[in-house]
């Protein structure tokens, strides 16, 4: 499989993060373009396959912008105001358009981690 995918897990609850908004951004030169906005499903993934695939999956710099604060508030987590984590941008590069890039997010109200998954 080629393309860009993600998966979000709520590590504080031990469940997939359902309904989290994610903006998909591409950087070109000094410009920044929001390509699309997607939401996680009941499994913490995006419906419909890869977020970027085919002609939209190009080499370059990208960002997945996870709207974690809105998700955490909506799911009943107790948060300070303002929340410690609100919007989490993960910026990464795509060099090989024949490869699969999986960028998961593990989230709790006070920490997050990511890695290049498979």
């Amino acid at each position: 499989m080629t393309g860009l995918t993600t998966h979000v897990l709520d590590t504080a609850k031990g469940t997939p993060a359902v309904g989290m908004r994610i903006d998909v951004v591409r950087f070109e030169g000094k410009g920044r373009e929001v390509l699309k906005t997607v939401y996680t499903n009941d499994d913490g993934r995006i419906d419909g396959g890869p977020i970027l695939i085919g002609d939209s999956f190009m080499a370059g710099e990208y960002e997945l912008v996870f709207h974690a604060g809105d998700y955490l508030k909506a799911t009943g987590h107790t948060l300070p105001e303002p929340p410690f984590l609100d919007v989490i941008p993960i910026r990464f590069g795509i060099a090989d358009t024949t490869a699969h890039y999986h960028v998961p997010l593990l989230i709790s109200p006070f920490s997050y981690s990511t890695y290049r998954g498979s």
Side-chain angles (χ1 to χ4, degrees):
M1 173 184 0
T2 64
L4 172 65
T5 59
T6 191
H7 187 200
V8 185
L9 298 174
D10 182 332
T11 58
K13 291 188 176 221
T15 62
V18 179
M20 184 182 291
R21 175 181 160 193
I22 305 166
D23 296 325
V24 183
V25 177
R26 177 172 165 74
F27 292 87
E28 186 143 352
K30 294 186 182 191
R32 178 183 191 275
E33 177 186 5
V34 177
L35 299 176
K36 63 171 71 175
T37 297
V38 295
Y39 292 84
T40 55
N41 64 19
D42 290 344
D43 193 35
R45 299 177 189 275
I46 307 304
D47 287 330
I51 299 168
L52 298 177
I53 193 165
D55 292 343
S56 68
F57 186 62
M58 301 182 298
E61 289 185 63
Y62 292 84
E63 198 170 71
L64 292 178
V65 181
F66 296 88
H67 293 264
D70 291 342
Y71 161 80
L72 293 166
K73 288 176 193 171
T75 55
H77 286 281
T78 302
L79 303 177
E81 189 55 47
F84 180 69
L85 295 174
D86 191 10
V87 177
I88 300 171
I90 299 177
R91 193 165 179 178
F92 57 96
I94 293 175
D96 181 1
T97 59
T98 66
H100 177 210
Y101 285 76
H102 184 65
V103 183
L105 180 70
L106 306 176
I107 183 73
S108 78
F110 298 99
S111 69
Y112 71 90
S113 65
T114 191
Y115 54 94
R116 180 169 176 195
S118 59

